[in-house]
Amino acid sequence: MQPIAIRDVSLNYDTPGGKVQGVTNVSIDIDASEFVCIVGPSGCGKSTLLNIIAGFLAPATGQISIGGKPVTGHGMDRGVVFQDFAQLFPWRTALGNVSFGLEMKGVANPERDRIAREQLRLVKLEKFTDSFPHHLSGGMQQRVAIARALAYNPSVLLMDEPFAALDAMTRDDMQRLLADVWKETRKTVIYVTHNVAEAVYLADRVVVMSAHPGTVKTVMKIDLPRPRDPLSVEFLDCQKELMGHLGHNTNGAAH
Amino acid sequence: MQDAVTAIAIADAAPAGRGAERWRLAARNIFPFAVVGTIWEIVAWAGVFPHRLFPPLEEVALSFVNLTISGVLPHHTIETVLRLLGGFALAAVFGTAIGVMMGRSRRAEDILLPLVSIGAPIPGLAYAPLFLLWFGLGNFSSVLLVGFVAAFPVIFNSWTGVKAVKEIWVRSALSMGADDKRLFRYVILPGALPYILTGLRLGLAQAWRILVAVEMLAAVPWGLGWLIFGARKFLNTDAMMAGIAVIAIIGLLLEKYVFQKIENYTVVRWGMVAK
């Protein structure tokens, strides 16, 4: 598991469709095995930042290093989970999807199969190894995506609102599951979300970003013991504090 | 989670009560043919056209059987099918290759797209005299022409298919360490498959169209196209109809036992195309 250093990263770019929300002078240090959530209003550039860390976009200025090694593009030291259920390959079974990274890595078959099954067990889908994605529910597909991103054993897991498209109850289950998976694998996780309760439930630290320009407004440490109780007073206090940082009215209920 | 399990269980339980369902399906498929057949019989027996030019279906059936027994119809059929498959194979291989190349490389797209766009709308038969002059009469030029004309829809659809491959699949594959070659083989090709299959289907239809006409022009001694056009000279409408029927039957068989089988095994099974 590797620490991540993000130094003075900026990227502002124009497309024919208008100016894409960029990031300006973002610096964050993340410890090995730390769970960091990035929250912020729509268009604060949090997804852009994640795409830069993933290596899909190159920053205009600044540098990112993982375990001391500078990031120059996508690489197998990072696993990525997107929001879109369609990220799975429909022509591969759950097991085939999870095996993909191992195949690319050149892991041969009895071993590859064993690891992939093990990962599916980790996300509680061992009964669905031979199902194609379109036979799985949205929550199950996202779990396959998590297993797939973990299977080739990257040191860092990057997640871009992976549960945002799920219904509230499934989302709660998934957050619990992710907390368990993280406890077991101890990956360094960067998790982008706009859901305050989700950030407080999952994160060691929450990076709050603001829009125009997309930059780090504040960083909030969450010291609650795990497993966390979302109904406890301390949890709700944390949520209120985080909403305050986001500029929300703290008298209202959390969503 | 439970939902998915039940859904699969229900799908598997479908065979129950299949017999009645099957009959209903067969009746529904036969009905339109029965209607057209009846109208045909009425027109034939009413004498709207001279008997020889518009024979009743039983005479067509009789001549179909006679031509089959005598071996004439099978001979025509085999020659045509061989030319069809030869031309279609050319179209499938080169069409897919060119289309995929256009989808993958900006340079290839810039060079080939204008050529393909201009070539595609020209009726296939308009190329026929050129091919016959360049490559002579006979099998070689007809197979080549069929391949050339049938390649256009294959090219267009493979090109579109590659362009339609979801960016998120590409990103996922890249983040998992896929290089260009494996990205192509494990992601681009299966991702473009629904479009490629559509292109092949359209290509085969195109191949039929051009082949039947060109068999008359290329002066080949056997072939369904030759049979149909040749029968006209002797007012053998029943033989003509028999030839047309064979084309319909082969088309149906290819659709049902080749294309649908491939589709059911791939894109339908993967949920990329609705059944």
Side-chain angles (χ1 to χ4, degrees), chain B residues 11-271:
Chain B
D12 285 342
R18 203 171 174 173
E21 182 62 27
R22 227 174 169 161
W23 272 113
R24 218 171 307 142
L25 199 73
R28 206 166 58 200
N29 282 334
I30 289 168
F31 179 71
F33 293 101
V35 171
V36 173
T38 310
I39 295 172
W40 180 282
E41 287 294 275
I42 292 169
V43 174
W45 287 111
V48 178
F49 297 99
H51 186 82
R52 220 173 147 67
L53 301 189
F54 206 101
L57 290 175
E58 55 272 26
E59 273 175 38
V60 174
L62 188 69
S63 119
F64 186 99
V65 171
N66 284 338
L67 283 169
T68 307
I69 292 170
S70 68
V72 174
L73 198 52
H75 192 166
H76 284 301
T77 306
I78 286 169
E79 296 251 331
T80 292
V81 167
L82 286 179
R83 274 178 217 121
L84 182 80
L85 293 182
F88 179 65
L90 285 178
V93 171
F94 289 101
T96 313
I98 293 171
V100 167
M101 206 160 73
M102 282 165 60
R104 290 283 286 155
S105 140
R106 194 57 209 261
R107 206 118 142 245
E109 187 179 11
D110 285 346
I111 296 169
L112 291 169
L113 188 57
L115 296 176
V116 176
S117 305
I118 288 176
I122 298 172
L125 211 50
Y127 295 112
L130 277 180
F131 274 70
L132 295 176
L133 283 178
W134 290 341
F135 306 108
L137 299 172
N139 276 325
F140 181 68
S141 53
S142 34
V143 169
L144 215 57
L145 178 65
V146 168
F148 178 77
V149 174
F152 285 104
V154 182
I155 294 174
F156 265 116
N157 281 279
S158 325
W159 170 61
T160 314
V162 170
K163 294 238 144 191
V165 168
K166 288 193 181 132
E167 184 59 28
I168 198 164
W169 294 336
V170 175
R171 283 195 170 192
S172 301
L174 289 176
S175 74
M176 287 187 281
D179 52 32
D180 266 5
K181 214 173 98 191
R182 288 185 295 182
L183 182 72
F184 177 72
R185 185 166 156 207
Y186 295 120
V187 180
I188 307 279
L189 273 191
L193 195 60
Y195 287 83
I196 294 176
L197 286 178
T198 302
L200 292 177
R201 206 181 238 140
L202 293 172
L204 186 67
Q206 191 84 294
W208 265 122
R209 252 172 260 152
I210 185 72
L211 178 58
V212 170
V214 91
E215 277 182 343
M216 196 56 209
L217 298 171
V220 290
W222 291 93
L224 291 171
W226 189 91
L227 168 75
I228 292 166
F229 282 98
R232 186 180 142 226
K233 277 191 209 130
F234 308 103
L235 301 185
N236 278 333
T237 317
D238 46 354
M240 240 155 109
M241 293 291 296
I244 292 170
V246 172
I247 292 174
I249 291 166
I250 295 172
L252 196 71
L253 291 179
L254 284 175
E255 170 63 26
K256 230 177 147 41
Y257 291 98
V258 180
F259 280 106
Q260 280 187 13
K261 284 268 187 279
I262 294 175
E263 267 190 354
N264 286 340
Y265 187 70
T266 57
V267 291
V268 171
R269 191 163 66 115
W270 304 335

Side-chain angles (χ1 to χ4, degrees), chain A residues 146-231:
Chain A
I146 293 170
R148 184 174 78 165
L150 290 171
Y152 53 94
N153 201 20
S155 56
V156 175
L157 190 57
L158 305 172
M159 307 181 88
D160 190 2
E161 305 201 40
F163 307 146
L166 295 172
D167 64 88
M169 264 165 73
T170 311
R171 191 160 54 222
D172 289 348
D173 290 342
M174 298 291 287
Q175 288 164 4
R176 260 192 301 269
L177 182 104
L178 179 62
D180 290 346
V181 167
W182 175 70
K183 206 173 105 191
E184 201 158 319
T185 59
R186 305 303 297 173
K187 303 288 178 198
T188 310
V189 182
I190 301 183
Y191 188 107
V192 166
T193 179
H194 59 255
N195 184 325
V196 169
E198 184 168 77
V200 174
Y201 185 78
L202 291 170
D204 291 320
R205 267 192 309 157
V206 180
V207 175
V208 181
M209 289 183 69
S210 63
H212 319 294
T215 185
V216 176
K217 191 177 168 197
T218 183
V219 177
M220 183 180 149
K221 205 161 168 54
I222 313 271
D223 272 329
L224 303 174
R226 293 172 190 268
R228 291 173 181 166
D229 175 8
L231 296 174

Side-chain angles (χ1 to χ4, degrees), chain A residues 39 196 199-200 206 208 220 238-246:
Chain A
V39 298
V196 169
V200 174
V206 180
V208 181
M220 183 180 149
C238 272
Q239 233 175 292
K240 267 187 196 167
E241 188 190 336
L242 184 51
M243 288 182 94
H245 289 310
L246 281 163

